[in-house]
Amino acid sequence: MKPLKLLSLILLSGLPMNATASEEPMMGSSQPDGVLEPEVIESDSARELDFNFGWKFLEKDEREAFVPDFDDSKWRNVRLPHDWSVEHSFDKKLEGATAYLPGGMGWYRKTFISELSPKKACYLVFDGIYNNAEIWLNGKRLGFHPYGYSPIVHEISGRLVEGKNVLAVKVDRSRIVDSRWYTGSGIYREVKLMVVDKLHTPPWGAYVTTPEVADDSATVRIENTVSNLYGDGRDFRLINRLLDPDGKEVAKVSVTDKVGAREKTVLNSTLKIADPVRWALDKGDLYTLETAVVVDRKDVDRASTRFGIRTIRFDAKEGFFLNGENLKIKGVCLHHDGGLVGAAVPKGVWKRRLEELRAAGTNAVRISHQPGARDFMELCDEMGMLVQTEFFDEWDNPKDKRTNTWEKMIDYASRGYTEFFQEHAERDLKITALRDRNHPCVIQWSIGNEIEWTYPRYKAATGFFDANWDGNYFWSVPPFSAEEIRERYEASEEGEHVLARTAAKLAEWTREMDDTRPVVANMILPSASMVTGYGDAVDVAGFSYRRVMYDRAHENHPDKPIMGTENLVQWHEWKAVMERPFIAGTFLWTGIDYLGEVNEQWPKKALASGMLDVAGFRKPSWHMMRTLWNDEPHVYVCSQTAEKAIFEEKDGELVEKKPDAWKQRLWIWHEVNEHWNYTDGEAVIVEVYSNCPEVELFLNGSSLGKKQLADFEDRQMRWAVPFAAGELKAVGMRDGKRVEWVVKTAGEPVAVQLEVDRKSLNPDGYEVVHVVAQLVDAEGVPVLNAERELSFDVSGPCAILGVDNGAPDNVQDIQATKIKTSRGRAMMILRSLRAIEGGYTIYASCGGEALQAGDLKILTGW
């Protein structure tokens, strides 16, 4: 075998004049001595301070770690967001539900200097800690927060001392399988410190709605909360200014009021905007509300709130409308991990992934099954992506985390949020809605996911599981009528908790916070849910894998909007939506492969149901959805040996080996190859996915014939082709536009080709670059059918977040510099270090000798 050539990549980063050295070590560097300079918090600091840097971490329990003078000098220096689980090796002895990665116990400490005046107040805002977090400031316990997905806010002014302060956080993730998917462990989302006058608007203290929107004007209603932490009452003037997407002031209003000592007051204002710029799909035009609290003609507090002007409507007969336009929701479900970065996902990683999904035609995301991070919501605002926010996966009763249905195999390790639901659900729901209700991307609030499994009455009432019935749950309508199901339900024992009552309570809490978006739920047993009060609690009924119920539900409940809220990445699911105007759309499971939910499937670490793999690379299902969700012409070629293919030749036609199997395909796309490397003369089935009416296939310039899309009910045009090395090309035409897809036979790999997804990188400690290494042959053709172990060598000031190859069964260490390729490919993610200048060079090599093939210089900096 020839040695692989080497391609180097050089990135240069600049540094502002007042920058300081980063405390964060680079991967592979020696551990620093543990000494960190305390961060200084001054009276005239900005309103919202980045509190992610300067933390110490220990991955074990230390009973006295909350004590201010505890010696943490030997602890690791880390920056947040931080997920310690993903730092470990995958372990077959652990739980597949949470991706064979460990949980455990961890402590975080941060020391900072306070120089605040008596007129200042401080809020500590954690966007998310997974989970069971206890927070201390200067040895005093601020509180306990069990839920891992809702924000945490503490007003800490009275706990601060002049000079040195110590913040300590204990994270207890010893219940290592308390969820059905990978959760991560630690302070995995951002932390902010808000420094404000004691007369101020608190976190998320402005609520903006746009009840009337027309082409020539829009009404903007503002609800401002003003908090007074002084010991006496205060007179003030509140000024609201609206800035358009270009930063120009378009409206202004002021009111005068008084707030009592240590009290809050709420003020309401209404403004008119002429010629509003609407927030729309792929067009995230955002307005800014600037709020000032003025005392004696001096601004004592200023806050900014971004919002969008748009209208949404769900109609029981016509589906979904955005800004008055009837359109289908082309949505995907997403879990919160980002592959190799675990749960601590940089915004740049999400941006790359969302851009890839959008390129397929995706216009919506269901954040399943928990609230997303603040920066994720901001990104969806900016990109013009619709969002369904889901609050909970469990309510009163627990789910079995290992089997994902109704069995109650509950032990200490698998006890989840149900343990805390009764006491904490209202707070967690409401603070999430408070944080997210100004995001124009949010179009639905989901109160729960597949909750029915946890209430035995629902399973029993449907008749699916106990009646003398030979149907299939996925593809058959219920064996009983709606009336019979209701009768069976009402005849069953009520139990301690009633699903419909809990649903009504959650919906009421949601509407108290925001009544401008519909409440929805993802129903796994809608035949029972729609007739037992659950359906009455929600504004939109979402069906989980029950497209066969669309017509029956619409007939029995003609005034209830219906949609798919969890469905399969398959043509038959979208076909069912397109044929029914009353269906608003769907959310497919899933947009991206995700870690976990693979119990007893070692070495499989991820569920491969996505349109993108766990590294964010496109899969064949991405191309199928691209042909369904876009009008731009697209053609894609894949193939399989006749032996392994799902098709066979009969009477001169290529048909499914199992007739009509396409109508009932489930989560995982059938196995196909994207390469053109077989044995000479071997029988190969070529599949072409396209939205072009006609496609012609060529092998080495010779036509293999044209196929009509209309002739293939499953939308998979196919040819039987005896293999010959060379070039396979599919050509299509749509609306006068020609499009083609070319696959070439690859030789032996002789080089590693590096590509990056961005041309600049600022040393802010946040920006990331994706480095993709692809094996290529002597002609530069990507080698997709041979694997090699690659070694990445990185020199310069950057942090290596890890490596992956996208394969769901890849259990190599993530935080490493070596990895075996999958489809000849692997990826490394690098992050800039805060305030560190200089360039860095990346080499990717294979084997002992590596020949340099070239380099790529990227000028970066502030």
Side-chain angles (χ1 to χ4, degrees):
M1 184 185 74
K2 296 181 181 179
L4 294 183
K5 296 181 181 179
L6 169 80
L7 186 66
S8 66
L9 182 65
I10 301 176
L11 299 95
L12 306 176
S13 64
L15 183 72
M17 294 296 293
N18 61 350
T20 58
S22 171
E23 70 278 0
E24 182 181 17
M26 295 174 286
M27 175 169 281
S29 66
S30 60
Q31 182 68 32
D33 61 9
V35 176
L36 287 176
E37 290 295 324
E39 191 164 354
V40 178
I41 308 302
E42 301 176 349
S43 294
D44 58 354
S45 296
R47 189 177 200 268
E48 189 176 86
L49 303 177
D50 186 336
F51 228 45
N52 290 327
F53 294 87
W55 289 81
K56 310 283 286 184
F57 172 69
L58 180 69
E59 190 181 341
K60 73 176 214 180
D61 193 11
E62 280 283 0
R63 291 188 177 182
E64 302 299 316
F66 67 92
V67 177
D69 60 0
F70 181 87
D71 182 9
D72 60 13
S73 61
K74 300 294 178 62
W75 289 21
R76 286 174 52 198
N77 297 331
V78 299
R79 51 71 54 87
L80 308 179
H82 175 244
D83 173 7
W84 81 68
S85 291
V86 81
E87 297 173 347
H88 289 266
S89 298
F90 296 95
D91 187 343
K92 183 179 181 180
K93 298 177 182 178
L94 295 175
E95 298 280 357
T98 44
Y100 301 104
L101 289 169
M105 306 278 283
W107 277 90
Y108 296 84
R109 283 168 58 94
K110 180 178 175 66
T111 301
F112 59 99
I113 304 298
S114 171
E115 297 180 359
L116 303 179
S117 76
K119 295 183 178 181
K120 291 293 183 180
C122 276
Y123 289 91
L124 183 63
V125 183
F126 292 88
D127 199 43
I129 304 174
Y130 205 89
N131 60 350
N132 299 313
E134 294 182 72
I135 304 170
W136 283 266
L137 179 60
N138 297 325
K140 303 294 183 181
R141 190 171 183 266
L142 297 179
F144 170 65
H145 194 91
Y147 197 38
Y149 302 107
S150 57
I152 308 166
V153 178
H154 291 289
E155 199 282 303
I156 60 174
S157 308
R159 302 289 182 92
L160 291 173
V161 297
E162 190 70 21
K164 178 181 174 182
N165 292 262
V166 178
L167 179 63
V169 180
K170 177 185 177 181
V171 181
D172 179 0
R173 233 219 96 206
S174 57
R175 297 176 177 181
I176 63 170
V177 63
D178 64 354
S179 186
R180 298 178 296 112
W181 57 84
Y182 176 79
T183 64
S185 304
I187 309 178
Y188 73 103
R189 292 181 180 173
E190 65 180 13
V191 184
K192 302 287 186 181
L193 186 73
M194 288 181 56
V195 181
V196 295
D197 190 89
K198 287 189 174 181
L199 182 67
H200 62 276
T201 58
W204 315 304
Y207 175 36
V208 186
T209 59
T210 55
E212 298 175 5
V213 180
D215 291 339
D216 59 349
S217 68
T219 300
V220 179
R221 290 180 182 169
I222 306 168
E223 179 183 289
N224 295 106
T225 299
V226 177
S227 178
N228 178 23
L229 298 181
Y230 285 105
D232 57 352
R234 296 285 165 126
D235 295 312
F236 66 92
R237 177 178 293 276
L238 185 78
I239 301 175
N240 281 316
R241 299 172 60 235
L242 295 183
L243 309 180
D244 69 12
D246 294 325
K248 177 184 176 182
E249 182 180 307
V250 292
K252 181 178 179 179
V253 65
S254 67
V255 294
T256 300
D257 204 350
K258 181 175 183 177
V259 59
R262 298 183 177 86
E263 291 183 354
K264 293 180 180 179
T265 188
V266 176
L267 298 89
N268 293 286
S269 305
T270 301
L271 294 169
K272 288 282 189 180
I273 295 178
D275 302 319
V277 179
R278 300 200 193 201
W279 184 92
L281 294 179
D282 302 328
K283 189 173 176 287
D285 288 312
L286 298 170
Y287 283 76
T288 301
L289 166 67
E290 289 194 348
T291 302
V293 179
V294 180
V295 177
D296 296 331
R297 297 186 179 181
K298 179 183 178 182
D299 291 357
V300 297
D301 180 64
R302 279 186 173 273
S304 293
T305 304
R306 295 200 306 177
F307 68 98
I309 297 177
R310 55 103 179 102
T311 63
I312 60 172
R313 180 168 66 90
F314 286 84
D315 185 88
K317 295 179 178 60
E318 299 180 89
F320 175 65
F321 292 80
L322 175 66
N323 294 323
E325 178 186 358
N326 185 217
L327 57 87
K328 294 290 189 183
I329 293 173
K330 303 171 182 176
V332 297
C333 303
L334 292 180
H335 271 310
H336 75 149
D337 76 83
L340 68 88
V341 295
V345 188
K347 191 173 182 179
V349 171
W350 273 128
K351 185 174 183 180
R352 174 180 179 265
R353 291 173 165 230
L354 290 179
E355 285 176 340
E356 285 293 278
L357 290 172
R358 184 166 63 178
T362 305
N363 62 24
V365 170
R366 172 182 174 230
I367 310 177
S368 46
H369 306 290
Q370 70 289 310
R374 184 178 82 160
D375 54 3
F376 180 88
M377 306 300 291
E378 291 175 347
L379 188 58
C380 290
D381 282 345
E382 295 160 2
M383 294 180 65
M385 185 78 76
L386 307 173
V387 170
Q388 179 198 99
T389 288
E390 195 154 67
F391 293 124
F392 304 117
D393 187 54
E394 291 182 305
W395 293 353
D396 304 302
N397 303 316
K399 288 183 178 178
D400 192 315
K401 313 307 185 299
R402 300 177 177 94
T403 58
N404 191 26
T405 49
W406 51 87
E407 297 87 350
K408 299 299 186 296
M409 187 168 56
I410 303 300
D411 52 20
Y412 174 82
S414 65
R415 292 177 184 172
Y417 184 64
T418 291
E419 303 278 307
F420 307 99
F421 180 79
Q422 306 301 329
E423 181 181 354
H424 292 269
E426 181 176 7
R427 181 189 68 179
D428 290 328
L429 184 154
K430 287 185 174 180
I431 196 169
T432 299
L434 180 72
R435 185 199 67 176
D436 290 345
R437 62 187 182 177
N438 288 318
H439 289 290
C441 64
V442 177
I443 60 166
Q444 293 177 329
W445 302 111
S446 173
I447 57 176
N449 168 63
E450 297 183 354
I451 297 295
E452 297 99 316
W453 289 139
T454 65
Y455 296 81
R457 303 174 74 192
Y458 280 76
K459 174 190 170 186
T462 63
F464 283 124
F465 310 101
D466 67 335
N468 182 18
W469 178 68
D470 61 359
N472 178 284
Y473 167 75
F474 281 99
W475 318 120
S476 304
V477 296
F480 300 135
S481 67
E483 292 75 17
E484 289 173 313
I485 291 174
R486 184 184 296 109
E487 289 174 2
R488 285 168 63 92
Y489 173 84
E490 292 175 349
S492 63
E493 184 179 350
E494 187 171 88
E496 181 182 1
H497 302 290
V498 177
L499 186 156
R501 293 176 192 165
T502 300
K505 178 172 60 178
L506 295 172
E508 180 182 359
W509 292 341
T510 304
R511 296 182 184 112
E512 285 176 14
M513 299 304 299
D514 176 53
D515 61 1
T516 69
R517 292 132 169 132
V519 174
V520 67
N522 187 42
M523 299 175 181
I524 191 67
L525 298 172
S527 60
S529 297
M530 295 295 286
V531 297
T532 54
Y534 190 10
D536 297 332
V538 298
D539 304 304
V540 176
F543 290 2
S544 189
Y545 306 110
R546 295 297 284 138
R547 63 170 172 81
V548 296
M549 281 289 296
Y550 289 161
D551 293 334
R552 171 167 159 165
H554 184 58
E555 179 181 352
N556 291 338
H557 310 276
D559 297 326
K560 178 71 68 175
I562 298 168
M563 67 176 297
T565 40
E566 188 169 324
N567 298 96
L568 303 156
V569 184
Q570 298 286 351
W571 153 233
H572 63 73
E573 294 282 21
W574 186 243
K575 183 174 183 289
V577 172
M578 290 302 297
E579 291 173 344
R580 293 164 176 82
F582 60 88
I583 297 297
T586 185
F587 291 97
L588 302 181
W589 193 267
T590 54
I592 308 173
D593 294 356
Y594 60 94
L595 298 175
E597 206 164 351
V598 285
N599 191 55
E600 297 182 353
Q601 297 182 54
W602 178 267
K604 193 176 177 183
K605 70 180 180 185
L607 190 64
S609 61
M611 295 157 56
L612 305 175
D613 67 26
V614 75
F617 296 132
R618 297 173 180 179
K619 297 167 61 176
S621 56
W622 182 96
H623 292 278
M624 174 56 79
M625 299 314 300
R626 170 70 177 76
T627 70
L628 301 175
W629 283 356
N630 275 280
D631 292 329
E632 284 295 310
H634 184 65
V635 63
Y636 165 79
V637 176
C638 57
S639 59
Q640 186 54 275
T641 62
E643 179 184 1
K644 293 183 179 180
I646 63 174
F647 304 104
E648 63 182 356
E649 191 166 1
K650 280 188 177 181
D651 300 325
E653 296 289 333
L654 284 174
V655 298
E656 289 182 294
K657 291 178 179 178
K658 182 180 178 182
D660 288 334
W662 70 271
K663 298 178 181 179
Q664 298 181 1
R665 286 189 189 141
L666 293 171
W667 293 274
I668 309 303
W669 199 257
H670 61 285
E671 184 181 351
V672 290
N673 301 314
E674 296 186 282
H675 63 70
W676 188 240
N677 283 76
Y678 298 99
T679 303
D680 283 345
E682 185 173 12
V684 177
I685 306 299
V686 175
E687 298 178 36
V688 174
Y689 311 154
S690 182
N691 55 7
C692 298
E694 182 181 83
V695 173
E696 187 171 10
L697 189 67
F698 296 87
L699 178 58
N700 296 326
S702 298
S703 175
L704 300 181
K706 298 178 180 180
K707 303 282 187 179
Q708 308 297 316
L709 180 60
D711 293 336
F712 295 87
E713 192 180 13
D714 59 2
R715 293 185 66 94
Q716 293 168 220
M717 291 181 273
R718 43 197 176 265
W719 287 256
V721 181
F723 175 74
E727 178 186 271
L728 186 70
K729 178 169 66 175
V731 179
M733 183 83 70
R734 177 170 173 165
D735 299 329
K737 296 181 180 179
R738 184 180 185 276
V739 63
E740 66 179 42
W741 187 275
V742 176
V743 184
K744 295 182 179 180
T745 303
E748 285 291 308
V750 299
V752 182
Q753 178 178 291
L754 296 183
E755 293 183 355
V756 293
D757 64 336
R758 59 180 302 138
K759 298 298 184 181
S760 63
L761 198 64
N762 290 331
D764 59 1
Y766 290 100
E767 290 196 349
V768 297
V769 58
H770 296 78
V771 184
V772 177
Q774 174 69 60
L775 303 178
V776 296
D777 69 9
E779 301 300 321
V781 176
V783 179
L784 308 180
N785 65 320
E787 311 305 346
R788 301 289 187 272
E789 182 176 79
L790 298 182
S791 295
F792 289 92
D793 182 14
V794 181
S795 62
C798 64
I800 300 174
L801 299 187
V803 291
D804 198 1
N805 62 20
D809 58 352
N810 167 41
V811 289
Q812 302 170 85
D813 284 356
I814 288 174
Q815 296 203 345
T817 56
K818 291 184 178 181
I819 186 167
K820 187 176 181 180
T821 61
S822 175
R823 297 178 62 251
R825 181 173 57 187
M827 183 177 69
M828 170 181 280
I829 301 180
L830 304 174
R831 187 187 63 228
S832 69
L833 294 183
R834 185 175 63 157
I836 296 289
E837 66 175 332
Y840 34 101
T841 305
I842 306 142
Y843 297 95
S845 61
C846 176
E849 182 182 1
L851 302 178
Q852 185 166 346
D855 59 35
L856 176 63
K857 296 180 180 179
I858 300 180
L859 299 178
T860 68
W862 293 91

